[in-house]
Amino acid sequence: MKLWPDTAPGEVSGEIGNEDYRKPKPGAKDVLRIANVSVPTITFYEANPTKSNGTVIIVCPGGGYNILAYEHEGTQVCEWLNELGITGVLLKYRVPRRKNRPPHDAPLQDLQRAISLVRQNASNLKIDPQKVGVLGFSAGGNLAMMAVTSFEERAYSQVDSVDQYSCRPDFGILIYPAYLVDRKSRDALLPDIKITSNTPPCFFAHTGDDHVPGEGSVLAYLALEKAGVEGSELHVYPYGGHGYGMRKNNNPVSNWPDHAGIWMRSMGWLQK
Protein backbone atom coordinates (compact mmCIF):
# COMPACT_ATOMS: atom_id res chain seq x y z
CA MET A 1 0.00 0.00 0.00
CA LYS A 2 1.35 3.43 -0.94
CA LEU A 3 1.55 5.78 2.03
CA TRP A 4 0.75 8.98 0.22
CA PRO A 5 -2.00 9.69 -2.35
CA ASP A 6 0.39 11.88 -4.32
CA THR A 7 4.02 12.89 -3.95
CA ALA A 8 5.34 12.48 -0.40
CA PRO A 9 5.77 15.71 1.60
CA GLY A 10 8.85 17.73 0.73
CA GLU A 11 9.96 15.54 -2.16
CA VAL A 12 11.97 17.23 -4.90
CA SER A 13 11.43 15.84 -8.38
CA GLY A 14 14.61 14.31 -9.80
CA GLU A 15 16.57 14.43 -6.55
CA ILE A 16 16.50 10.64 -6.10
CA GLY A 17 17.31 8.06 -8.77
CA ASN A 18 15.29 4.97 -9.61
CA GLU A 19 14.53 2.52 -6.82
CA ASP A 20 17.25 -0.11 -6.70
CA TYR A 21 17.17 -3.65 -5.22
CA ARG A 22 20.75 -4.70 -4.54
CA LYS A 23 20.72 -8.46 -4.04
CA PRO A 24 23.66 -10.21 -2.35
CA LYS A 25 26.01 -12.19 -4.56
CA PRO A 26 25.59 -15.98 -4.42
CA GLY A 27 27.42 -17.40 -1.40
CA ALA A 28 28.28 -13.96 -0.04
CA LYS A 29 27.55 -13.06 3.56
CA ASP A 30 25.70 -9.99 2.43
CA VAL A 31 22.19 -8.62 2.77
CA LEU A 32 19.49 -7.41 0.41
CA ARG A 33 19.64 -3.65 0.20
CA ILE A 34 16.99 -1.34 -1.20
CA ALA A 35 18.21 2.07 -2.29
CA ASN A 36 16.61 5.22 -3.70
CA VAL A 37 13.13 4.97 -2.21
CA SER A 38 10.97 7.93 -3.19
CA VAL A 39 7.58 6.18 -3.15
CA PRO A 40 7.27 4.80 0.41
CA THR A 41 4.98 1.83 1.05
CA ILE A 42 3.82 -0.58 3.71
CA THR A 43 3.50 -4.33 3.15
CA PHE A 44 1.18 -6.37 5.37
CA TYR A 45 2.15 -9.74 6.86
CA GLU A 46 -1.13 -10.78 8.41
CA ALA A 47 -1.08 -13.20 11.33
CA ASN A 48 -2.96 -16.47 10.99
CA PRO A 49 -6.52 -15.72 12.20
CA THR A 50 -6.38 -18.74 14.53
CA LYS A 51 -3.28 -17.31 16.26
CA SER A 52 -3.88 -13.58 15.93
CA ASN A 53 -3.93 -11.57 19.16
CA GLY A 54 -4.84 -8.28 17.47
CA THR A 55 -1.41 -6.71 17.92
CA VAL A 56 0.30 -5.10 14.94
CA ILE A 57 3.92 -3.97 14.72
CA ILE A 58 5.38 -1.68 12.06
CA VAL A 59 8.93 -2.81 11.24
CA CYS A 60 11.61 -0.27 10.31
CA PRO A 61 14.76 -1.78 8.76
CA GLY A 62 18.11 -0.11 9.33
CA GLY A 63 20.68 1.12 6.85
CA GLY A 64 22.06 4.43 8.07
CA TYR A 65 19.16 6.34 6.49
CA ASN A 66 20.93 5.59 3.20
CA ILE A 67 19.60 2.13 2.27
CA LEU A 68 17.16 -0.40 3.79
CA ALA A 69 18.41 -3.79 5.01
CA TYR A 70 15.16 -5.33 3.88
CA GLU A 71 15.42 -9.04 4.77
CA HIS A 72 17.15 -9.78 8.09
CA GLU A 73 15.82 -6.50 9.51
CA GLY A 74 12.54 -6.60 7.59
CA THR A 75 10.79 -9.54 5.97
CA GLN A 76 12.28 -12.09 8.38
CA VAL A 77 11.17 -9.96 11.33
CA CYS A 78 7.59 -9.91 10.07
CA GLU A 79 7.65 -13.69 9.71
CA TRP A 80 8.82 -14.02 13.33
CA LEU A 81 6.05 -11.68 14.46
CA ASN A 82 3.50 -13.86 12.68
CA GLU A 83 4.68 -16.82 14.77
CA LEU A 84 3.69 -14.80 17.86
CA GLY A 85 0.24 -14.05 16.45
CA ILE A 86 1.23 -10.48 15.56
CA THR A 87 0.49 -8.82 12.22
CA GLY A 88 3.71 -7.39 10.81
CA VAL A 89 3.74 -4.26 8.67
CA LEU A 90 7.00 -3.70 6.81
CA LEU A 91 7.76 -0.05 6.20
CA LYS A 92 9.72 0.87 3.09
CA TYR A 93 10.57 4.44 4.06
CA ARG A 94 12.36 7.06 2.04
CA VAL A 95 16.12 6.75 1.63
CA PRO A 96 18.76 8.06 1.18
CA ARG A 97 18.90 11.16 3.35
CA ARG A 98 17.29 14.17 1.71
CA LYS A 99 19.31 17.33 1.17
CA ASN A 100 18.85 20.15 3.67
CA ARG A 101 16.67 17.96 5.92
CA PRO A 102 17.51 16.10 9.15
CA PRO A 103 18.25 12.41 8.39
CA HIS A 104 15.09 11.19 10.12
CA ASP A 105 12.78 13.89 8.73
CA ALA A 106 11.27 12.21 5.65
CA PRO A 107 11.30 8.72 7.25
CA LEU A 108 9.44 10.04 10.32
CA GLN A 109 6.75 11.47 8.07
CA ASP A 110 6.44 8.03 6.48
CA LEU A 111 6.27 6.19 9.81
CA GLN A 112 3.70 8.55 11.32
CA ARG A 113 1.57 8.19 8.20
CA ALA A 114 1.94 4.39 8.37
CA ILE A 115 0.77 4.28 11.99
CA SER A 116 -2.32 6.31 11.11
CA LEU A 117 -3.01 4.16 8.02
CA VAL A 118 -2.82 0.99 10.08
CA ARG A 119 -5.30 2.38 12.59
CA GLN A 120 -7.65 3.49 9.81
CA ASN A 121 -7.58 -0.08 8.42
CA ALA A 122 -7.87 -1.80 11.80
CA SER A 123 -11.21 -3.46 11.07
CA ASN A 124 -10.05 -4.76 7.68
CA LEU A 125 -6.84 -6.09 9.20
CA LYS A 126 -8.69 -7.46 12.23
CA ILE A 127 -6.23 -5.79 14.58
CA ASP A 128 -6.67 -3.72 17.74
CA PRO A 129 -5.97 -0.01 17.06
CA GLN A 130 -4.79 0.28 20.69
CA LYS A 131 -2.12 -2.40 20.18
CA VAL A 132 0.10 -0.77 17.55
CA GLY A 133 3.84 -1.02 18.10
CA VAL A 134 6.97 0.04 16.22
CA LEU A 135 10.16 -2.03 15.90
CA GLY A 136 13.38 -0.71 14.45
CA PHE A 137 17.02 -1.62 13.91
CA SER A 138 19.95 0.82 13.91
CA ALA A 139 18.74 3.86 11.91
CA GLY A 140 15.31 2.20 11.99
CA GLY A 141 15.70 2.08 15.77
CA ASN A 142 16.37 5.80 15.74
CA LEU A 143 13.26 6.21 13.60
CA ALA A 144 11.22 4.16 16.10
CA MET A 145 12.56 6.35 18.91
CA MET A 146 11.53 9.49 17.04
CA ALA A 147 8.05 8.01 16.58
CA VAL A 148 7.59 7.25 20.29
CA THR A 149 8.81 10.72 21.29
CA SER A 150 7.46 13.01 18.51
CA PHE A 151 3.82 12.02 18.10
CA GLU A 152 2.33 15.10 19.78
CA GLU A 153 3.22 17.18 16.72
CA ARG A 154 2.90 15.49 13.34
CA ALA A 155 5.92 15.96 11.09
CA TYR A 156 3.78 17.10 8.15
CA SER A 157 0.60 19.03 7.49
CA GLN A 158 -2.58 16.95 7.41
CA VAL A 159 -3.13 15.43 3.96
CA ASP A 160 -6.51 13.73 4.30
CA SER A 161 -8.77 11.83 6.70
CA VAL A 162 -6.04 9.24 7.42
CA ASP A 163 -4.22 11.86 9.46
CA GLN A 164 -7.12 12.18 11.86
CA TYR A 165 -6.02 8.85 13.35
CA SER A 166 -3.39 8.97 16.08
CA CYS A 167 0.26 8.46 15.14
CA ARG A 168 1.29 7.59 18.73
CA PRO A 169 2.72 4.07 18.98
CA ASP A 170 1.53 2.02 21.94
CA PHE A 171 5.03 0.59 22.46
CA GLY A 172 8.46 0.44 20.88
CA ILE A 173 11.09 -2.25 20.35
CA LEU A 174 14.51 -0.78 19.63
CA ILE A 175 17.33 -3.09 18.53
CA TYR A 176 20.80 -1.47 18.49
CA PRO A 177 19.22 1.97 17.88
CA ALA A 178 21.55 4.56 16.36
CA TYR A 179 21.93 8.33 16.66
CA LEU A 180 20.65 8.58 20.25
CA VAL A 181 23.86 10.01 21.74
CA ASP A 182 26.98 11.82 20.61
CA ARG A 183 29.52 9.11 19.72
CA LYS A 184 32.34 10.86 21.56
CA SER A 185 30.81 12.12 24.81
CA ARG A 186 28.07 9.45 25.09
CA ASP A 187 26.79 11.12 28.27
CA ALA A 188 23.38 12.50 27.23
CA LEU A 189 20.60 11.84 24.76
CA LEU A 190 20.61 14.11 21.72
CA PRO A 191 18.26 17.13 21.94
CA ASP A 192 15.81 15.69 19.37
CA ILE A 193 14.87 12.91 21.78
CA LYS A 194 12.37 14.25 24.30
CA ILE A 195 11.13 11.53 26.65
CA THR A 196 8.16 12.42 28.85
CA SER A 197 5.61 10.66 31.03
CA ASN A 198 3.49 10.19 27.88
CA THR A 199 6.20 8.30 26.00
CA PRO A 200 5.20 4.65 25.39
CA PRO A 201 7.16 1.85 27.10
CA CYS A 202 10.08 0.39 25.15
CA PHE A 203 12.21 -2.74 24.89
CA PHE A 204 15.92 -2.24 24.13
CA ALA A 205 18.64 -4.67 23.02
CA HIS A 206 22.25 -3.62 22.48
CA THR A 207 25.79 -4.99 22.85
CA GLY A 208 28.85 -3.55 24.55
CA ASP A 209 31.05 -4.07 21.50
CA ASP A 210 28.70 -2.29 19.11
CA HIS A 211 30.25 0.65 17.26
CA VAL A 212 26.90 2.36 17.78
CA PRO A 213 27.11 3.35 21.46
CA GLY A 214 25.07 1.18 23.81
CA GLU A 215 24.83 4.22 26.06
CA GLY A 216 22.01 5.42 23.80
CA SER A 217 19.79 2.50 24.80
CA VAL A 218 20.84 2.75 28.45
CA LEU A 219 20.18 6.49 28.71
CA ALA A 220 16.85 6.19 26.91
CA TYR A 221 15.78 3.43 29.30
CA LEU A 222 16.84 5.52 32.32
CA ALA A 223 14.98 8.55 30.95
CA LEU A 224 11.81 6.46 30.63
CA GLU A 225 12.21 5.32 34.24
CA LYS A 226 12.83 8.88 35.44
CA ALA A 227 9.73 10.09 33.54
CA GLY A 228 7.60 7.49 35.32
CA VAL A 229 6.91 5.35 32.23
CA GLU A 230 6.19 1.85 33.49
CA GLY A 231 7.08 -1.39 31.77
CA SER A 232 10.27 -0.73 29.77
CA GLU A 233 12.99 -3.37 29.54
CA LEU A 234 16.72 -3.13 28.74
CA HIS A 235 19.18 -5.83 27.65
CA VAL A 236 22.88 -5.04 27.19
CA TYR A 237 24.90 -8.04 26.04
CA PRO A 238 28.71 -8.17 26.08
CA TYR A 239 29.30 -9.26 22.47
CA GLY A 240 27.54 -9.36 19.13
CA GLY A 241 28.50 -6.18 17.33
CA HIS A 242 26.01 -4.49 15.05
CA GLY A 243 23.58 -5.37 12.28
CA TYR A 244 22.76 -8.99 13.18
CA GLY A 245 19.00 -8.49 12.93
CA MET A 246 17.31 -11.91 12.95
CA ARG A 247 20.53 -13.80 12.08
CA LYS A 248 21.70 -16.30 14.66
CA ASN A 249 25.28 -16.46 15.96
CA ASN A 250 27.08 -17.90 18.98
CA ASN A 251 26.47 -14.83 21.14
CA PRO A 252 23.60 -14.60 23.63
CA VAL A 253 22.35 -11.45 21.85
CA SER A 254 20.84 -13.83 19.26
CA ASN A 255 18.18 -14.55 21.87
CA TRP A 256 16.81 -11.01 21.78
CA PRO A 257 13.64 -12.11 19.88
CA ASP A 258 12.84 -14.58 22.68
CA HIS A 259 13.25 -11.88 25.32
CA ALA A 260 11.22 -9.40 23.28
CA GLY A 261 8.44 -11.97 22.99
CA ILE A 262 8.47 -12.57 26.76
CA TRP A 263 8.33 -8.82 27.34
CA MET A 264 5.40 -8.37 24.98
CA ARG A 265 3.56 -11.21 26.70
CA SER A 266 4.18 -9.67 30.13
CA MET A 267 2.84 -6.34 28.87
CA GLY A 268 -0.34 -7.92 27.51
CA TRP A 269 0.38 -7.38 23.82
CA LEU A 270 0.11 -11.11 23.06
CA GLN A 271 -3.24 -11.61 24.80
CA LYS A 272 -6.29 -12.00 22.60
Side-chain angles (χ1 to χ4, degrees):
M1 178 184 289
K2 288 176 59 177
L3 291 178
W4 307 97
D6 298 304
T7 304
E11 284 300 281
V12 177
S13 178
E15 180 181 349
I16 304 300
N18 293 330
E19 191 166 299
D20 183 15
Y21 279 68
R22 301 171 183 173
K23 296 182 179 180
K25 296 178 181 179
K29 293 183 179 179
D30 204 354
V31 299
L32 170 66
R33 294 174 170 86
I34 299 181
N36 297 339
V37 177
S38 58
V39 182
T41 63
I42 47 177
T43 302
F44 298 96
Y45 290 71
E46 295 184 52
N48 188 311
T50 62
K51 295 180 64 175
S52 178
N53 45 48
T55 296
V56 58
I57 293 180
I58 300 171
V59 177
C60 308
Y65 286 127
N66 291 309
I67 57 93
L68 300 177
Y70 209 65
E71 286 183 322
H72 75 298
E73 295 178 352
T75 58
Q76 294 171 8
V77 183
C78 292
E79 292 164 0
W80 161 66
L81 293 173
N82 285 170
E83 294 174 4
L84 298 177
I86 297 170
T87 290
V89 177
L90 182 50
L91 175 63
K92 186 169 70 174
Y93 58 87
R94 281 174 281 168
V95 290
R97 307 175 185 211
R98 272 31 179 184
K99 294 178 182 178
N100 304 316
R101 300 176 69 175
H104 66 263
D105 192 49
L108 180 58
Q109 293 176 335
D110 296 338
L111 179 50
Q112 288 183 336
R113 176 76 175 183
I115 295 169
S116 296
L117 262 173
V118 165
R119 286 201 165 104
Q120 184 197 45
N121 286 276
S123 59
N124 295 332
L125 293 170
K126 296 180 174 58
I127 58 98
D128 187 338
Q130 296 183 324
K131 296 169 70 175
V132 180
V134 292
L135 190 165
F137 301 82
S138 194
N142 173 264
L143 178 55
M145 173 58 75
M146 297 309 300
V148 300
T149 58
S150 303
F151 54 85
E152 292 181 354
E153 184 176 349
R154 202 174 284 266
Y156 58 93
S157 300
Q158 181 171 327
V159 174
D160 52 28
S161 61
V162 171
D163 299 320
Q164 294 176 8
Y165 291 82
S166 171
C167 63
R168 179 188 184 274
D170 295 299
F171 61 94
I173 299 176
L174 292 84
I175 312 301
Y176 44 87
Y179 317 126
L180 301 189
V181 295
D182 180 88
R183 288 202 177 190
K184 291 184 178 180
S185 62
R186 303 184 177 196
D187 58 358
L189 294 172
L190 293 175
D192 284 343
I193 301 164
K194 298 178 175 60
I195 291 174
T196 71
S197 60
N198 199 28
T199 302
C202 295
F203 174 96
F204 300 88
H206 225 117
T207 64
D209 65 347
D210 194 331
H211 68 269
V212 170
E215 287 89 338
S217 290
V218 174
L219 290 171
Y221 170 81
L222 292 174
L224 286 161
E225 290 290 300
K226 187 177 292 186
V229 177
E230 296 181 355
S232 294
E233 185 166 315
L234 169 69
H235 293 259
V236 181
Y237 303 86
Y239 305 112
H242 190 79
Y244 36 86
M246 295 297 294
R247 292 181 297 192
K248 294 291 185 181
N249 56 46
N250 294 325
N251 293 304
V253 71
S254 291
N255 295 321
W256 75 260
D258 297 329
H259 293 296
I262 293 169
W263 176 73
M264 285 189 283
R265 188 174 302 281
S266 72
M267 295 293 288
W269 306 122
L270 303 189
Q271 296 176 4
K272 293 186 179 181

